[in-house]
Amino acid sequence: MSRKLSTVNRQLIMYNLDINFLNDRPDLLERQVQRKVAPTQNLDQTPILIGAGVALALNALVAGAWFIFHQQNVDLTKERDTLVTTLGQKTSEVEALDKINAETDQANKEADALATVFNQIKPWSALTVELGELMQVAGVKILDIEQTEPQLPAPGAAPSPAPSPADGQAVASAPEPETAQLKISGVANTFTQINDFVLLLNQSSFFNSEKTKLIEAKLEENSTQLVAKSETADSGMAKPQLQPVVKYTIETYLSRATASEMLTELQNNGALGLVNRIKTLEEKGVIKK
């Protein structure tokens, strides 16, 4: 036990000696203090300032670009809304204009149809005058006239397509509309009078010369009945024998010439009402001159 204490005492004595020995060296103490308190070195702040300036400039540039783009986006949005509103107004105006154009086209079609009806009319008053003059010139009699109207296409039926022309061939024109057919029946004294009557029909602008033809001509007994002037007349006197007559049937068609093309003939034959209507339609531009 005493040995352990003596060993501890020796160690304490040596530790105190070491401390004293260190305290006796001031240069070592000063070196340690200098290590603990190192002088502050002067650093160059220029790169830091440049970096900070560049960062601020980039941030300012991004902020300015964002503001410009945002303002442009706002302006474009306003312009788009204005264009959408204008487009809606223009669309309404276009629809109204299309409606007006459709109504105008319908009115024009109706006017053209009405003009076509008037322009295709050949009044019977004018035809009667024409046939009466031709009958007197030829020396024939007309006993009956039968008129047959052309067959119109069924409503909604599409017209048959025209065949496509072969190479080198001209395109065929659309067929002309059919006109009314007339069958004229009567009697004449000779076949020559009937031939003259057919020629006069061919020359008339009221009839189609290409479709005028003699259907029938035959010699028949004269059906005219002779009546005595009075009952006291000599009953034994023989009645004169009447010459036979030639009974004929002629087929013809009304001409395709329009009323506007036959104003002079219509006016000469007394169809003044139709002539005035055609002239009025021509003045209004419904019928082209």
Side-chain angles (χ1 to χ4, degrees):
M1 183 70 177
S2 59
R3 289 180 180 180
K4 292 181 179 180
L5 291 174
S6 60
T7 304
V8 171
N9 291 330
R10 284 196 299 268
Q11 291 178 352
L12 290 174
I13 292 169
M14 293 180 65
Y15 179 72
N16 290 331
L17 291 175
D18 291 336
I19 293 174
N20 292 331
F21 178 75
L22 291 174
N23 289 333
D24 292 338
R25 295 187 60 179
D27 57 342
L28 181 60
L29 292 175
E30 184 179 358
R31 196 179 306 166
Q32 291 179 352
V33 172
Q34 288 180 355
R35 287 178 182 175
K36 293 180 180 179
V37 185
T40 302
Q41 296 180 356
N42 294 327
L43 299 177
D44 189 2
Q45 301 294 327
T46 302
I48 298 175
L49 294 177
I50 293 175
V54 171
L56 291 175
L58 289 176
N59 290 332
L61 181 62
V62 171
W66 178 87
F67 178 77
I68 293 173
F69 290 150
H70 177 71
Q71 189 64 33
Q72 288 180 350
N73 189 21
V74 172
D75 295 340
L76 290 175
T77 302
K78 292 180 179 179
E79 185 177 357
R80 183 200 62 187
D81 295 339
T82 303
L83 290 176
V84 169
T85 304
T86 305
L87 180 61
Q89 296 175 352
K90 296 299 181 182
T91 303
S92 301
E93 294 176 359
V94 169
E95 291 177 354
L97 184 59
D98 291 340
K99 183 177 180 181
I100 293 174
N101 289 335
E103 293 176 353
T104 302
D105 292 339
Q106 182 63 27
N108 290 334
K109 290 179 181 179
E110 293 176 357
D112 292 340
L114 181 62
T116 302
V117 170
F118 278 115
N119 212 11
Q120 296 297 330
I121 290 177
K122 294 181 178 63
W124 265 106
S125 60
L127 289 174
T128 302
V129 172
E130 182 73 9
L131 288 173
E133 293 179 353
L134 299 181
M135 180 181 66
Q136 291 179 2
V137 173
V140 300
K141 293 181 180 180
I142 296 177
L143 301 179
D144 182 63
I145 299 177
E146 179 184 350
Q147 179 177 348
T148 303
E149 294 294 334
Q151 293 183 353
L152 299 177
S160 57
S164 57
D167 295 339
Q169 294 182 355
V171 178
S173 59
E176 296 182 354
E178 293 293 336
T179 57
Q181 181 194 63
L182 297 181
K183 282 188 177 181
I184 305 172
S185 302
V187 294
N189 294 327
T190 62
F191 289 99
T192 303
Q193 291 176 336
I194 299 174
N195 291 331
D196 293 340
F197 187 45
V198 173
L199 292 175
L200 291 173
L201 290 173
N202 287 333
Q203 295 173 1
S204 174
S205 57
F206 284 88
F207 306 101
N208 190 341
S209 60
E210 297 177 356
K211 294 187 176 182
T212 300
K213 57 185 177 180
L214 180 63
I215 300 299
E216 182 183 23
K218 61 180 179 179
L219 196 63
E220 292 186 351
E221 293 293 334
N222 196 332
S223 60
T224 303
Q225 298 292 330
L226 295 177
V227 180
K229 290 183 179 180
S230 65
E231 295 180 358
T232 59
D234 187 6
S235 59
M237 184 179 296
K239 294 180 181 180
Q241 186 70 27
L242 297 178
Q243 294 182 354
V245 294
V246 180
K247 187 176 181 180
Y248 68 88
T249 301
I250 298 174
E251 181 184 273
T252 186
Y253 286 80
L254 296 180
S255 68
R256 297 190 181 98
T258 60
S260 59
E261 297 171 348
M262 298 175 57
L263 287 180
T264 302
E265 291 83 354
L266 291 172
Q267 188 170 2
N268 292 337
N269 289 359
L272 300 180
L274 179 59
V275 171
N276 292 333
R277 293 188 185 95
I278 295 299
K279 288 183 177 179
T280 301
L281 292 175
E282 286 180 347
E283 291 174 357
K284 293 183 178 297
V286 179
I287 295 179
K288 304 299 182 182
K289 295 183 179 181

